[in-house]
Amino acid sequence: MSQEYLLIDTQQITIECFRRNPQGKWELNPYKEGEEIHLTSIDFSCPISLIYEDVTL
C-alpha cells in the first residue's frame, strides 16, 4: 500500500505531494499550474486547475 500526503499552497498554484518510497523515505513530487496530479494511494487523477477552481489568489 502506498502512502502519500499533499501540501496545497494558498498563495500560488502549486501542490507538493510526498510519497513514501520502498526504502521508507519520503520523496517530493511537485505539481504546478497546467499539470495533472495523480494520487497513487487512491488511484485518483485530476488537473491541478480543478483543485484551485473558484479560488482567488
Side-chain angles (χ1 to χ4, degrees):
M1 173 171 69
S2 70
Q3 294 179 317
E4 57 197 349
Y5 68 91
L6 299 177
L7 297 176
I8 301 173
D9 197 315
T10 60
Q11 303 296 314
Q12 57 187 348
I13 300 177
T14 58
I15 295 176
E16 294 178 335
C17 177
F18 290 86
R19 289 190 185 97
R20 193 178 296 267
N21 68 20
Q23 293 76 35
K25 304 227 186 241
W26 291 101
E27 293 181 343
L28 171 62
N29 298 275
Y31 295 93
K32 59 186 178 204
E33 189 170 5
E35 296 183 329
E36 181 170 288
I37 189 166
H38 181 71
L39 303 177
T40 58
S41 62
I42 58 173
D43 193 27
F44 174 79
S45 296
C46 79
I48 196 173
S49 60
L50 287 180
I51 295 170
Y52 284 90
E53 187 175 37
D54 297 327
V55 174
T56 304
L57 300 176

